[in-house]
Amino acid sequence: MRPRIFATSFQSVRCVRQLRRSFSVSAATPGEESVKQLGVIGAGQMGLGIAFVAAQVSKVPVVLVDSSEASIHKGLGFLDKLLQKDVAKGKYSQAEANEVKSRIEPTTKFDSIFAADFIIEAVPEITALKCEIFGKLATGAKSDTILSTNTSSISITKIAAAAKGAEGRVVCTHFMNPVPVQKGVEIISGLQTTGETLNRAVEFVKTMGKIPSVSADSPGFIANRLLIPYINEAIICLETGVGAKEDIDNMMKNGCAMPMGPLALADFIGLDTCLAIMNVLHTETGDSKYRPSGLLQKMVTAGWLGVKSKKGFYNY
């Protein structure tokens, strides 16, 4: 039993309930507090996906910041593939595709993002890194800019605490992968997050064609609290000989109507990401049911991370 953690969980749930009541009364009028420029930190798959959808659907200019020129180059290559795929499908013309791309301004200069009205951080799940970024945003961004994280597991309250003086403007917009395809976005408030911040986050993701769901600041939130333990249990089934990988995946696809088997999904997400989230769930809840599979830990140690490393439960 860990009373301190449970007390914090109850506080966060109560806070979100209060914010929900505030939202139902004071939801923003369409067009009010509209985002004129978006900032995205991180040009990886998630950050690039967020920038792409904002430029394509919301039609807002996007400043895309990454400390690595190589990451930006790789991200822009991914963007070109997305655009050409849509052109080939006849979704829009080459001229329209060029217009979407023109709305995204890539840069390695961090302070270029400070003029944005809404900033979304999408860097790796490293608490210290995210806290460092939000500390900089708190002092450099405009006083009314929404500061959002795309974290899938780290406490929003902890991240907000690093944004000294701007804690109330910190929120989580957790996009699902792949961003251009998945409609759902989790909106998570920390204890410090104001009702106005929550409202503006909800309204903005709607302009991106997304469907928001509000979650408490609890380990794993909604999506990963359910999804990652499901994947972990599938790995345990493989590890203990309950079934072969193909049989496990086929059963869930053909017997439970899942679009993808759990082991293939783990490869797609990244086994290192799955392990990181399981570790957060295990550490923050203290519940043994969230203990990561031994096989999962070994595969990450071996560098078998799934699609990104060309080898995981399957070869790519």
Side-chain angles (χ1 to χ4, degrees), residues 6-314:
F6 293 139
T8 301
S9 297
F10 287 137
Q11 284 180 317
S12 63
V13 170
R14 184 169 62 248
C15 177
V16 168
R17 284 172 179 167
Q18 291 171 345
L19 289 173
R20 280 174 175 158
R21 286 196 292 270
S22 171
F23 175 67
S24 65
V25 173
S26 59
T29 302
E32 183 182 346
E33 299 290 355
S34 61
V35 174
K36 297 179 177 62
Q37 185 182 69
L38 175 69
V40 177
I41 303 172
Q45 187 174 14
M46 292 302 296
L48 196 283
I50 293 167
F52 169 65
V53 175
Q56 180 193 41
V57 182
S58 301
K59 293 182 170 55
V60 296
V62 181
V63 176
L64 179 63
V65 175
D66 198 292
S67 60
S68 167
E69 286 279 7
S71 293
I72 289 177
H73 181 74
K74 183 178 179 180
L76 292 179
F78 178 54
L79 174 63
D80 286 335
K81 289 181 181 179
L82 290 174
L83 291 170
Q84 291 309 310
K85 185 176 180 180
D86 284 343
V87 170
K89 289 182 177 180
K91 288 186 176 180
Y92 42 70
S93 67
Q94 184 61 56
E96 290 170 323
N98 292 340
E99 185 179 350
V100 170
K101 186 174 181 179
S102 72
R103 294 191 185 107
I104 300 175
E105 177 190 344
T107 180
T108 56
K109 296 180 179 178
F110 189 83
D111 58 3
S112 298
I113 210 166
F114 291 158
D117 307 297
F118 199 113
I119 297 173
I120 301 175
E121 165 272 310
V123 303
E125 293 287 271
I126 302 171
T127 302
L129 175 60
K130 290 180 184 288
C131 288
E132 179 185 355
I133 288 172
F134 276 81
K136 292 179 180 179
L137 293 177
T139 57
K142 296 186 298 182
S143 61
D144 60 347
T145 297
I146 299 299
L147 309 178
S148 176
T149 175
N150 185 56
T151 183
S152 59
S153 60
I154 299 171
S155 168
I156 313 309
T157 299
K158 180 179 290 187
I159 293 174
K164 301 297 183 184
E167 296 92 337
R169 291 186 282 117
V170 176
V171 69
C172 176
T173 50
H174 177 212
F175 290 80
M176 303 294 115
N177 190 23
V179 180
V181 176
Q182 302 291 3
K183 291 289 187 181
V185 177
E186 282 184 302
I187 309 293
I188 303 105
S189 298
L191 289 178
Q192 311 94 318
T193 308
T194 67
E196 179 187 359
T197 297
L198 177 65
N199 293 341
R200 289 176 63 186
V202 167
E203 291 305 314
F204 180 63
V205 301
K206 284 181 180 178
T207 71
M208 295 176 68
K210 302 302 183 183
I211 302 172
S213 294
V214 176
S215 168
D217 186 14
S218 181
F221 316 133
I222 295 173
N224 285 326
R225 185 69 166 263
L226 299 173
L227 177 64
I228 302 301
Y230 155 70
I231 289 173
N232 190 59
E233 192 63 31
I235 299 172
I236 291 173
C237 285
L238 177 64
E239 182 179 19
T240 57
V242 174
K245 61 186 178 183
E246 294 85 359
D247 292 320
I248 293 170
D249 278 358
N250 286 336
M251 189 67 252
M252 297 312 295
K253 287 191 296 180
N254 302 319
C256 299
M258 298 296 187
M260 181 183 291
L263 301 177
L265 179 58
D267 278 352
F268 179 75
I269 293 171
L271 302 191
D272 52 341
T273 300
C274 292
L275 178 59
I277 296 171
M278 280 303 295
N279 281 330
V280 168
L281 289 171
H282 190 213
T283 301
E284 293 297 321
T285 65
D287 193 327
S288 62
K289 72 181 180 183
Y290 297 118
R291 184 172 58 247
S293 156
L295 177 59
L296 174 61
Q297 297 180 67
K298 289 178 182 177
M299 292 180 72
V300 172
T301 300
W304 298 356
L305 308 181
V307 175
K308 69 175 76 175
S309 68
K310 309 299 183 184
K311 183 176 180 61
F313 293 105
Y314 300 91

